[in-house]
């Protein structure tokens, strides 16, 4: 259940706000709590082991609102457990009041940096709604989507903790979205991929043969969908 920390309104004025994207201020939002030196994830669920966040540090990124407004250079945090995007204003951590269509940010991946793109607005499926965010792994006519989320699980006590405790557990689920017929399909196996592609399924074998894609991991699925999007 979503935990409400504080219900306050971020007071944002043109004179005091940081100017971004052609002099537009940051959007109005509700304050979750006032930021302190203590890590954000420790304040959210202090009795739970682990973090509900995608990343524990603020990352600078860009946001596209559902009404078309764009904001750049925004400090962002994404809560995977509650599917909420936060932005930082001075010492306040705020939730967006208006719907967010897409956000992106750079993060450290091994010894390099990478860009993550998250998007909403897809058809509802299962427990996911049109406002659920998906990481876009491949873009084009066919969009490979990764729904990353966290669940709360109970763990039995061990030699470190005698009593049972709660912890966050990472989960992922792949989906394929056809931007032409507006259909989204959950991908649990290769058969689901063939069913989602319909008439294009015959092209998969040829692509896999030429590119030697083995469909053993997520990167193989990304390569396949990318190849399909570039097929003439």
């Amino acid at each position: 259940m979503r935990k409400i920390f504080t219900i306050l309104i971020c007071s944002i004025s043109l004179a005091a706000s940081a100017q971004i994207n052609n002099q537009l201020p940051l959007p109005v939002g509700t304050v979750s709590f006032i930021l302190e030196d203590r890590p954000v994830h420790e304040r959210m669920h202090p009795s739970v082991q682990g973090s509900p966040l995608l990343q524990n540090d603020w990352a600078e990124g860009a946001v596209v609102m559902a009404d078309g407004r764009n904001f750049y250079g925004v400090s962002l945090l994404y809560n995977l457990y509650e599917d909420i995007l936060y932005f930082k204003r001075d010492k306040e951590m705020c939730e967006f009041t208006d719907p967010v269509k897409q956000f992106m940010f750079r993060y450290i991946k091994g010894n390099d940096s990478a860009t993550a793109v998250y998007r909403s607005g897809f058809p509802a499926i299962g427990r996911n709604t049109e406002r659920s965010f998906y990481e876009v792994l491949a873009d084009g006519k066919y969009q490979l989507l990764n729904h990353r989320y966290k669940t709360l699980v109970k763990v039995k006590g061990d030699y470190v903790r005698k009593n049972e405790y709660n912890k966050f557990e990472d989960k992922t689920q792949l989906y394929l979205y056809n931007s032409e017929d507006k259909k989204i399909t959950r991908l649990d196996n290769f058969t689901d991929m063939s069913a989602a592609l319909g008439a294009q399924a015959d092209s998969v074998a040829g692509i896999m043969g030429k590119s030697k894609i083995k469909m053993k991991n997520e990167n193989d699925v990304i390569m396949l969908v990318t190849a399909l999007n570039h097929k003439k």
Side-chain angles (χ1 to χ4, degrees):
M1 179 180 292
R2 181 170 167 182
K3 185 176 181 180
I4 304 299
F5 296 89
T6 313
I7 306 298
L8 296 172
I9 298 297
C10 292
S11 58
I12 301 174
S13 66
L14 289 173
S17 63
Q19 302 299 303
I20 56 176
N21 189 35
N22 296 327
Q23 306 305 306
L24 284 175
L26 284 170
V28 175
T30 55
V31 178
S32 294
F33 49 75
I34 305 300
L35 295 172
E36 299 174 349
D37 292 335
R38 187 179 179 185
V40 171
H41 69 279
E42 292 183 4
R43 295 191 63 196
M44 287 181 163
H45 302 274
S47 61
V48 180
Q49 182 177 342
S51 169
L53 303 172
L54 173 64
Q55 79 286 345
N56 290 330
D57 296 322
W58 291 95
E60 184 174 299
V63 179
V64 180
M65 309 301 291
D67 60 12
R69 287 176 295 156
N70 295 278
F71 299 93
Y72 304 98
V74 186
S75 293
L76 301 172
L77 273 182
Y78 178 37
N79 187 330
L80 289 172
Y81 179 60
E82 299 181 82
D83 200 14
I84 297 174
L85 180 66
Y86 302 106
F87 68 93
K88 181 167 68 173
R89 173 169 174 75
D90 298 326
K91 293 185 178 181
E92 297 174 333
M93 184 173 115
C94 302
E95 293 181 31
F96 289 88
T97 300
D98 298 326
V100 173
K101 173 66 177 178
Q102 178 176 290
F103 67 92
M104 60 189 72
F105 59 89
R106 295 193 66 79
Y107 65 99
I108 302 299
K109 187 176 183 180
N111 296 324
D112 202 356
S113 63
T115 300
V117 178
Y118 281 79
R119 191 176 295 161
S120 65
F122 300 100
I125 182 172
R127 295 183 178 181
N128 298 347
T129 69
E130 291 185 355
R131 296 190 67 169
S132 298
F133 288 112
Y134 299 81
E135 182 180 12
V136 182
L137 302 179
D139 210 350
K141 173 185 176 181
Y142 297 106
Q143 297 175 22
L144 181 63
L145 309 174
N146 185 19
H147 181 56
R148 301 184 62 178
Y149 61 102
K150 294 195 179 188
T151 59
L152 201 58
V153 297
K154 283 189 177 294
V155 181
K156 293 182 179 180
D158 51 32
Y159 68 95
V160 177
R161 299 188 179 205
K162 294 183 179 180
N163 300 321
E164 69 174 13
Y165 59 94
N166 295 321
K167 76 170 186 177
F168 289 109
E169 189 170 81
D170 292 287
K171 299 284 187 178
T172 62
Q173 178 61 56
L174 292 179
Y175 294 84
L176 188 70
Y177 176 67
N178 187 324
S179 61
E180 291 188 355
D181 64 15
K182 311 299 182 185
K183 182 179 179 181
I184 188 170
T185 303
R186 174 172 168 150
L187 301 179
D188 289 319
N189 50 54
F190 188 70
T191 303
D192 295 330
M193 172 73 79
S194 298
L197 293 173
Q200 289 292 325
D202 293 337
S203 303
V204 173
I207 292 174
M208 292 177 65
K210 292 180 180 179
S211 58
K212 298 182 180 180
I213 299 175
K214 302 299 183 182
M215 294 295 286
K216 291 184 177 180
N217 52 50
E218 184 179 282
N219 286 334
D220 288 340
V221 184
I222 294 173
M223 291 172 60
L224 175 60
V225 176
T226 301
L228 280 171
N229 285 327
H230 287 86
K231 184 179 180 297
K232 296 180 179 180

